Amino acid sequence: MKALLIGECRGGQVLDATWELFGYAAQACAEPLLFMVGTKEAVAGAGVRVLLADASKQGEYNPEAHKLLILEAIRRESPDQIVFMHSSYGWDLAPRVAAALGVAQSSEVIGIAEGGFELCACNAKMRRTVVPTTAKIVVTLQGGAFQGQKPAGSTEIQDLDVEASSRLEFLGYEEPEKKDVNLATAEIIVSAGRGVGKKDNVQIIEALAKALGGELGASRPVVDSGWVAQSHQVGTTGQTVAPKLYVACGISGAIQHLAGMRKSEFILAINKDKDAPIGEVADVLVVADLLQFVPALTAKLGR
Amino acid sequence: MAFRMNEYDEFAVEEAVRLKEKLGGEPDVTVLSIGPDRVGEVIKKALAMGCDRGVHVRDPESTSRDPWQIASMIAAFAKDKDFDLVFTGMQSQDRGSAQVGPLVAEILGLPCVTTVVAFEWADGLVTLRRELEGGLRAGFRLRCPAVLTCQLGLNTPRYPTLPNIMKAKKKEITLLQPGELGLPAALAVTKAFRAPERKGSGLILEGDVASLVDRVIALLKEKTAVLR
């Protein structure tokens, strides 16, 4: 079995998540081959055979051109699987490739099942086993579901090029607001979720973070509501974190949030709902009203 | 169990209605949903938010369809309608495949931008920002027609007002059968659907707040190195 792994390059750097594709390939017993639109420098030590398209010509994000490049790679190599990360790059590009090939795509795979894949469903509350019916398949992997594994073979770079026009004009990247907090290196993070109810209640979560000597984190809905700054967002569209202690307050546990914090050493969740999906990754789930429990915990820690 | 509009789709409906309002009500906005009878309520909500007409593809089997089948039906409907823009949610909350929008675009041969968090229209030219990881965004410009998939936070979806709910009752909802939209065969099948296994060590604590606090502090002292 042969897998074409679609790596990602941003700002001239290979994204770390690219190595998770190799963890998947190892588990799937697939011969890995890396595709990337990037630079020679970026893939110089890749340790594997690379089909490299020039990012300065094709753009780092140009799905119409990248689709044609991937189709060219597939034509040359006839892989059985085309594997992406389920990232802003992968979830955007994978369906375009699947449609062009007329083959099945399994999205945000968390594991390999007999004849198919394990996927999350219903905001991580349920699991589905999906079996593709086409010979060739496109797969996207959930971030963190497979171990990053850098290949240790010899690097062999083969150039790949197509002439492609694009109907999308790329206007450039826009950096996020200046980070006042670096959650990636924090040892303790206390995060607020939708369950805090309103903006005023965020201070209850902040007080616990302070009492524990940690940083304030937040789930996406809390950031979208303007209760907490985006720089505090944990999850696939925010920061990926792995602190010694992660306290999830009123966070139900959407897939995108879990993917950003599941590697934490110890996870304490406070939730009214005993069946919230956060319980699936939590070491301890406290079933309580956080507006009562959190201030009580803060007070006791302060003594 | 309560059913409601997919959260991502609320942002898609809102953005289409905002554009209609901005352009003096001229654009005609159609809302389409595929599913059993209950999605009629979701279509009515979208009409009350400001869409002009509804299309209900009555498919009691919709939950077992794969993204390719769903996208094919949407594309078959849109094919000869000359829509300037197709807005979808970037994914559904139940399936989360994030495939349907880009698949519709591929079938129709239209350009597509996914995960849109900012949208501006100027005479057929659309300027967008899409969301990448870590708060990073990327800007794009494209000319209509196009397919856009909407991310949470793109706007603030409105609650329908009572007068608009009443007005929506008069709006037309067209009923279609999957067969009329050339439903293709599935490319993938769901073999099992179940609740996840919990992490082995996961402990669930219940009781009064004071004793919960004591138990949690004891556990943090025992299991983590962060409490002295």
Side-chain angles (χ1 to χ4, degrees):
Chain A
M1 209 264 276
K2 189 166 167 182
L4 181 67
L5 310 178
I6 312 299
E8 296 182 40
C9 195
R10 191 169 297 156
Q13 303 284 322
V14 176
L15 297 189
D16 273 348
T18 291
W19 310 120
E20 294 177 23
L21 298 165
F22 289 88
Y24 165 83
Q27 248 190 61
C29 301
E31 173 202 338
L33 171 65
L34 183 62
F35 165 94
M36 191 173 298
V37 182
T39 61
K40 281 212 159 55
E41 295 71 40
V43 295
V48 66
R49 190 154 68 90
V50 186
L51 293 178
L52 179 71
D54 181 3
S56 65
K57 176 179 172 185
Q58 306 287 5
E60 285 186 347
Y61 177 80
N62 181 349
E64 301 197 339
H66 290 201
K67 176 183 87 175
L68 296 180
L69 288 162
I70 291 169
L71 293 177
E72 172 60 17
I74 293 166
R75 195 190 61 75
R76 269 202 220 168
E77 300 288 341
S78 300
D80 302 284
Q81 298 190 359
I82 303 97
V83 190
F84 299 76
M85 289 307 295
H86 195 74
S87 59
S88 63
Y89 182 79
W91 72 56
D92 184 274
L93 198 47
R96 303 176 198 252
V97 172
L101 297 171
V103 306
Q105 179 187 332
S106 291
S107 289
E108 201 159 16
V109 164
I110 56 168
I112 297 169
E114 208 180 313
F117 301 102
E118 292 290 315
L119 315 179
C120 287
C122 300
N123 259 346
K125 287 189 185 73
M126 302 296 284
R127 292 284 178 274
R128 281 199 307 146
T129 308
V130 172
V131 178
T133 60
T134 54
K136 234 183 239 315
I137 48 173
V138 170
V139 179
T140 68
L141 309 179
Q142 183 178 94
F146 295 88
Q147 278 289 337
Q149 192 175 313
K150 235 180 144 233
S154 60
T155 306
E156 187 191 334
I157 299 175
Q158 297 171 337
D159 291 325
L160 192 68
D161 192 21
V162 296
E163 293 310 319
S165 61
S166 177
R167 294 168 291 183
L168 309 180
E169 183 193 348
F170 179 63
L171 303 175
Y173 294 120
E174 201 175 285
E175 294 295 325
E177 55 192 289
K178 215 168 154 49
K179 295 233 186 306
D180 51 352
V181 51
N182 186 358
L183 296 180
T185 57
E187 293 206 331
I188 300 171
I189 296 172
V190 183
S191 281
R194 217 192 297 241
V196 301
K198 57 181 182 183
K199 187 172 184 174
D200 287 351
N201 291 339
V202 172
Q203 63 187 22
I204 295 171
I205 312 301
E206 264 183 311
L208 176 59
K210 203 171 163 204
L212 284 166
E215 300 283 359
L216 177 70
S219 70
R220 169 152 206 142
V222 166
V223 170
D224 281 340
S225 302
W227 300 349
V228 174
Q230 204 279 330
S231 54
H232 292 264
Q233 189 180 319
V234 174
T236 43
T237 54
Q239 298 192 55
T240 300
V241 302
K244 292 198 167 116
L245 171 64
Y246 189 90
V247 186
C249 306
I251 293 175
S252 65
I255 304 165
Q256 293 79 6
H257 190 82
L258 298 185
M261 46 67 80
R262 68 186 326 146
K263 286 183 182 164
S264 305
E265 277 178 35
F266 193 87
I267 298 170
L268 168 66
I270 299 126
N271 210 295
K272 268 187 202 165
D273 178 8
K274 195 176 170 176
D275 297 316
I278 190 81
E280 177 209 331
V281 299
D283 295 280
V284 176
L285 173 64
V286 175
V287 184
D289 179 353
L290 69 92
L291 299 180
Q292 292 175 13
F293 175 80
V294 173
L297 179 62
T298 307
K300 193 88 183 225
L301 288 167
R303 245 176 265 156
Chain B
M1 196 158 23
F3 290 92
R4 58 184 189 86
M5 191 187 297
N6 175 40
E7 195 176 5
Y8 297 84
D9 295 352
E10 290 182 0
F11 291 86
V13 168
E14 177 66 29
E15 201 61 30
V17 171
R18 282 188 188 198
L19 180 60
K20 176 185 172 69
E21 289 167 347
K22 196 182 157 211
L23 299 179
E26 185 269 322
D28 192 85
V29 181
T30 300
V31 57
L32 177 147
S33 185
I34 299 170
D37 285 343
R38 64 169 181 265
V39 307
E41 293 309 309
V42 169
I43 292 171
K44 281 182 197 151
K45 182 182 176 184
L47 294 175
M49 286 171 78
C51 295
D52 296 294
R53 61 197 71 249
V55 176
H56 181 178
V57 182
R58 238 190 202 147
D59 185 1
E61 305 294 314
S62 64
T63 53
S64 65
R65 306 291 184 211
D66 72 357
W68 173 251
Q69 291 177 299
I70 299 288
S72 297
M73 287 192 273
I74 297 171
F77 173 78
K79 192 176 62 186
D80 51 2
K81 305 288 190 302
D82 285 328
F83 290 114
D84 295 287
L85 287 166
V86 177
F87 292 96
T88 73
M90 65 90 42
Q91 63 182 0
S92 64
Q93 285 171 282
D94 52 356
R95 304 279 282 272
S97 80
Q99 291 180 37
V100 172
L103 287 177
V104 169
E106 287 296 317
I107 298 169
L108 294 174
L110 296 178
C112 174
V113 173
T114 63
T115 337
V116 171
V117 288
F119 170 89
E120 273 174 65
W121 163 282
D123 201 21
L125 199 62
V126 175
T127 308
L128 304 156
R129 279 193 285 280
R130 76 180 294 258
E131 186 179 57
L132 312 179
E133 284 69 25
L136 190 68
R137 292 167 169 210
F140 292 94
R141 197 177 291 131
L142 60 83
R143 189 158 284 285
C144 292
V147 177
L148 307 176
T149 83
C150 303
Q151 171 64 302
L152 306 179
L154 169 62
N155 50 46
T156 310
R158 70 193 66 189
Y159 291 103
T161 61
L162 192 55
N164 285 340
I165 291 170
M166 300 313 289
K167 252 194 262 173
K169 288 188 196 296
K170 296 201 190 78
K171 292 180 180 171
E172 175 197 341
I173 299 179
T174 306
L175 287 176
L176 292 173
Q177 301 300 323
E180 294 175 75
L181 297 175
L183 175 69
L187 299 180
V189 288
T190 297
K191 276 282 152 70
F193 193 75
R194 58 178 198 288
E197 300 85 37
R198 286 185 179 276
K199 192 166 151 182
S201 60
L203 188 64
I204 296 179
L205 299 182
E206 291 176 280
D208 66 285
V209 167
S211 66
L212 283 174
V213 165
D214 291 337
R215 288 163 76 190
V216 164
I217 290 179
L219 275 165
L220 292 181
K221 281 186 175 154
E222 183 193 340
K223 308 268 190 194
T224 77
V226 298
L227 272 200
R228 266 156 291 173

